[in-house]
Amino acid sequence: MSGRPQALRETRRLQLDAPREADLEDLNRIYSDARTWSHLPSGRFADLATTCGALDRWLEDWTVHGLGAWVAREGGVVVGHGGCAVRQDAFWNLGYRFAPEAQGRGLATELSQAAITAALEARPELPVVAYLLEHNAASAVVAEKVGLILRHRGPDAGNPDPTAVRLVYSDRELSDQELAATMR
């Protein structure tokens, strides 16, 4: 038997698997690295317990919705985490984090394309949404590359930086209710 489960999806370079408890240390390595959070330093995971709590939520996404964010492996090594997860039963939230050494090589675009396909296969009635901070230009480029369109620009409520601006991209027009759900 292989040391890695069969990938749920594969891209040209990535194996995308549902997270497992055994992925905790690798996920913590990515989410606790300050370089991963240069666009939002307050989002950095402070300790292993924070990552463990997040992993529990990610596992719950898979249990409840049959889809959630994947662990991304390149050549068997965990290089990132991301995908689409249902939020407030109103939209698919597209998000990702990659280890700093894996950034800038198009891996986020590969993962995002696969995630959008999987989300629309699972629940096509839900819009796919990526929300990000305006100064995170790299994520905006990824959103646009995978076909999402800027639908909203406004204050990022709850952000420790009162000048922060949130951008909301989606694969279709959003109702007022759907847009409001992305602001929570």
Side-chain angles (χ1 to χ4, degrees):
M1 178 178 225
S2 166
R4 165 176 87 73
Q6 178 66 31
L8 292 173
R9 296 273 171 152
E10 292 191 12
T11 68
R12 188 168 61 83
R13 296 176 287 181
L14 297 173
Q15 302 82 45
L16 304 171
D17 302 303
R20 301 169 295 160
E21 290 181 11
D23 296 320
L24 179 62
E25 292 290 337
D26 286 320
L27 292 168
N28 188 65
R29 174 180 47 82
I30 294 166
Y31 279 85
S32 66
D33 189 324
R35 298 170 300 164
T36 303
W37 293 95
S38 60
H39 64 286
L40 182 63
S42 64
R44 180 179 175 205
F45 289 13
D47 52 39
L48 191 61
T50 302
T51 308
C52 189
L55 179 57
D56 288 344
R57 290 188 300 279
W58 299 328
L59 292 170
E60 184 176 349
D61 287 335
W62 281 92
T63 300
V64 172
H65 301 288
L67 182 63
W70 293 302
V71 172
R73 292 177 172 79
E74 184 179 35
V77 176
V78 174
V79 294
H81 172 257
C84 285
V86 173
R87 294 295 174 249
Q88 292 133 37
D89 207 38
F91 64 95
W92 288 105
N93 180 49
L94 172 65
Y96 53 81
R97 296 276 177 263
F98 278 87
E101 58 275 7
Q103 294 175 10
R105 299 191 294 121
L107 298 177
T109 300
E110 281 185 38
L111 181 144
S112 295
Q113 288 170 327
I116 290 170
T117 298
L120 295 177
E121 288 170 358
R123 289 193 61 191
E125 74 279 9
L126 294 181
V128 175
V129 172
Y131 50 86
L132 51 116
L133 293 173
E134 185 172 57
H135 67 267
N136 189 350
S139 283
V141 167
V142 170
E144 291 168 4
K145 279 184 179 179
V146 298
L148 302 183
I149 297 170
L150 180 63
R151 307 290 182 181
H152 174 80
R153 179 185 182 276
D156 189 36
N159 191 308
D161 176 359
T163 66
V165 174
R166 177 178 287 209
L167 303 179
V168 178
Y169 287 82
S170 69
D171 68 334
R172 62 192 82 169
E173 292 288 335
L174 299 173
S175 69
D176 291 342
Q177 183 180 12
E178 289 166 334
L179 181 59
T182 71
M183 299 298 158
R184 296 182 194 138

